[in-house]
Amino acid sequence: MLDQSQTPIVSALQASSHRSHAAFYAPGHKRGKGASSRLKELLGEAALAVDLPELPELDNLFAPEGVILAAQDLAAAAFGADGTCFLANGSTCGIEAAILATAGPGDKIIVPRNAHRSVIAGLVLSGAMPIFVAPDYSPELGLVLGVKAEAIAAALARHPDTRAVLLVSPTYHGICSDIAAIAALTQAHNIPLLIDEAHGSHFAFHPQLPTPALALGADLVVQSTHKVLGALSQAAMLHTQGQRIDPSRLQAALQLTQSTSPSALLLASLDAARHQMATEGKALLADTLELVDQLRTGLAAIPGVQVIDRPSVTTCSSVSDLDLTRVTVDVSGLGLTGLAADEILHGELGVTAELPELRHLTFIVSLGNGLEDVQRCITGFKVLAERGAKSRTAPQNFSDLSLPFSSQATEHPVPAVSPRQAFFAATETVSASAALGRLSADTISAYPPGIPAIVVGEPITAGAIAYLANVKRQGGYVTGGSTSGPEKFRVLVQKRE
């Protein structure tokens, strides 16, 4: 039985930082002695003293045999995995490695159309061909929901040579797909199910939270341990179980996507975050859920404010659950956009949301929040309601901001070119009108919400162009490649006959 009270990496770092020796190794600041005085003032000497390389006593992330191996074994036990890999390049490198480990050039992989940009990067790196499946969308709520098991079944029927299925669950808003039903499908086809569970690292530690994907049959799960738990930014974990993932190929993929100089501070923070959750996570999350209940109750009592709750999303067959610690608030009834509301809350009232969108604001309530945060947030929304009551005549209407792709699509075509082929192809920049029907050289997303409107290698449609223009007109912005917005696009150069 592993002793979850241990913190192997933390203990080794503490011992190493106190060892008297002449340091002739990187980093150049030599345990803080040569660091800028301003950096010392910002971080403190203790943090700089443990900013150490992979010294013999600190193990090697790519061939762990000591404290890193012990810490990863403890994490696997705590999170319910057969094996765990620590990630010092965030969930991004884990998602990329998962794709590289399961699909190669020309191989098909089913992915949701609302996938994170790291998925597209993984497709470019691997050369795999995406079979896109659209998630459900609720026009009433203005939210992307889950991916139906029936949609995955249809894609597998049309593409029986698919090598893996990748899903995003939970979404940024805490909405979970029916992983158990989809895992049954992938197991029947004997292919791995990969889950981008970046926002669900806390699920395993309290029964009132959604069931973690590993417990529902996923083969590989990537979690951003820093997003909700106590790890430092950029610290994440990759968990595996079963025999469908080749461990040697996964390790080779991680060596492509991870830094060869992983931060000891990040690794130690993963070790400490696991320790905290394994030893006191249930009690900490119980306190957090009490705060969540107070926040949800207080916000729901304010006229014009709609708080997204479990019943409003779980009536859809594509949704299995909602993470209540992810509080999404529809402010359109206040006569404000989410962006305008965020400007007031953040700029004037000292309340900062995780995700401001055109219609919503989403807040993460986690272990670090307290009652004073909840009270300040409720007070801030009361101010918004008072201002809205004085100025509005009708709720905001976002009917022209439907998804840039159809959530009812039944066809799952193979792209004309892979994202990798499109990434390396010759390109030119053209006007929006000239771009119609041309293959995009960029993945272009509208923020908010950040869902790709156009994926690299896809034909550019009139609907996508209109969607991008509408988002920008409402106060959002467009990112992707060298484009500055929906007026010009980089496209693949057409071959001349």
Side-chain angles (χ1 to χ4, degrees):
M1 183 70 177
L2 297 173
D3 184 356
Q4 291 289 348
S5 67
Q6 295 180 344
T7 50
I9 298 176
V10 173
S11 299
L13 273 178
Q14 289 173 328
S16 187
S17 67
H18 289 105
R19 183 171 64 90
S20 177
H21 64 284
F24 292 99
Y25 50 76
H29 62 69
K30 307 297 188 198
R31 298 186 292 165
K33 295 176 181 178
S36 159
S37 59
R38 296 192 176 187
L39 188 60
K40 289 180 182 179
E41 183 180 350
L42 175 66
L43 298 182
E45 294 185 359
L48 290 167
V50 293
D51 182 25
L52 296 169
E54 293 176 307
L55 299 174
E57 65 268 25
L58 299 182
D59 209 358
N60 184 326
L61 182 60
F62 294 129
E65 298 178 342
V67 294
I68 293 178
L69 177 62
Q72 290 183 156
D73 286 346
L74 285 165
F79 287 86
D82 290 347
T84 293
C85 300
F86 283 1
L87 307 176
N89 276 16
S91 284
T92 293
C93 77
I95 293 295
E96 293 168 349
I99 295 173
L100 284 164
T102 54
D107 288 339
K108 297 176 184 176
I109 179 170
I110 295 172
V111 298
R113 193 56 181 74
N114 62 326
H116 187 267
R117 290 178 66 89
S118 61
V119 173
I120 309 305
L123 295 172
V124 170
L125 292 171
S126 67
M129 298 291 285
I131 305 300
F132 286 116
V133 175
D136 272 356
Y137 176 74
S138 169
E140 295 79 16
L141 299 176
L143 292 174
V144 172
L145 302 175
V147 174
K148 288 182 178 178
E150 292 84 355
I152 299 298
L156 287 170
R158 291 187 176 89
H159 304 282
D161 53 343
T162 294
R163 298 296 298 272
V165 174
L166 186 149
L167 292 177
V168 179
S169 182
T171 67
Y172 216 136
H173 301 100
I175 296 170
C176 301
S177 293
D178 189 349
I179 299 299
I182 295 170
L185 294 171
T186 58
Q187 290 164 10
H189 285 76
N190 196 29
I191 58 175
L193 175 60
L194 320 174
I195 304 295
D196 177 352
E197 199 175 42
H199 295 273
S201 58
H202 54 313
F203 287 178
F205 301 100
H206 199 282
Q208 291 181 26
L209 295 171
T211 304
L214 283 172
L216 295 171
D219 298 277
L220 181 151
V221 169
V222 178
Q223 297 173 341
S224 290
T225 319
H226 69 93
K227 281 183 166 57
V228 181
L229 303 184
L232 297 178
S233 292
Q234 203 171 309
M237 296 187 192
L238 185 153
H239 307 291
T240 59
Q241 66 179 353
Q243 305 298 317
R244 294 186 183 88
I245 305 293
D246 181 347
S248 59
R249 181 167 170 180
L250 178 61
Q251 286 300 322
L254 284 170
Q255 291 188 40
L256 292 178
T257 61
Q258 291 250 64
S259 169
T260 56
S261 301
S263 167
L265 290 168
L266 298 184
L267 299 180
S269 77
L270 288 169
D271 189 23
R274 181 275 316 158
H275 167 266
Q276 182 183 41
M277 297 311 295
T279 58
E280 51 184 331
K282 186 175 181 180
L284 291 171
L285 286 169
D287 292 341
T288 299
L289 287 165
E290 284 188 19
L291 290 176
V292 167
D293 185 61
Q294 293 181 54
L295 178 59
R296 287 177 165 274
T297 300
L299 293 178
I302 301 172
V305 172
Q306 179 187 4
V307 181
I308 307 302
D309 57 16
R310 269 183 174 147
S312 64
V313 297
T314 54
T315 53
C316 176
S317 63
S318 68
V319 179
S320 65
D321 208 346
L322 174 70
D323 175 14
L324 293 178
T325 69
R326 200 56 61 97
V327 181
T328 297
V329 182
D330 185 340
V331 297
S332 59
L334 298 176
L336 295 168
T337 66
L339 301 176
D342 183 62
E343 285 186 12
I344 298 169
L345 288 172
H346 176 71
E348 301 178 28
L349 304 176
V351 178
T352 304
E354 163 66 18
L355 177 65
E357 298 178 278
L358 293 174
R359 181 171 166 179
H360 305 93
L361 290 171
T362 297
F363 300 84
I364 298 176
V365 186
S366 65
L367 312 179
N369 287 112
L371 182 59
E372 64 279 7
D373 297 326
V374 168
Q375 293 171 338
R376 193 166 189 171
C377 187
I378 294 171
T379 300
F381 270 89
K382 288 179 179 177
V383 173
L384 288 180
E386 290 172 0
R387 294 192 185 183
K390 293 177 182 178
S391 61
R392 66 181 167 90
T393 56
Q396 288 284 325
N397 183 0
F398 298 107
S399 60
D400 60 343
L401 293 174
S402 56
L403 287 179
F405 51 85
S406 172
S407 61
Q408 307 301 320
T410 55
E411 294 298 319
H412 308 281
V414 179
V417 298
S418 71
R420 180 178 179 86
Q421 291 170 321
F423 182 86
F424 288 107
T427 67
E428 60 181 335
T429 301
V430 299
S431 66
S433 59
L436 281 175
R438 301 281 296 274
L439 299 183
S440 176
D442 297 308
T443 295
I444 304 174
S445 301
Y447 285 84
I451 296 171
I454 302 168
V455 173
V456 58
E458 277 188 341
I460 297 172
T461 66
I465 294 173
Y467 172 83
L468 294 170
N470 287 336
V471 170
K472 195 169 184 181
R473 187 162 50 247
Q474 292 281 0
Y477 60 97
V478 174
T479 66
S482 59
T483 60
S484 59
E487 296 85 13
K488 291 185 178 295
F489 294 86
R490 266 198 334 138
V491 298
L492 273 56
V493 173
Q494 294 176 317
K495 292 182 179 180
R496 298 185 183 279
E497 298 296 336

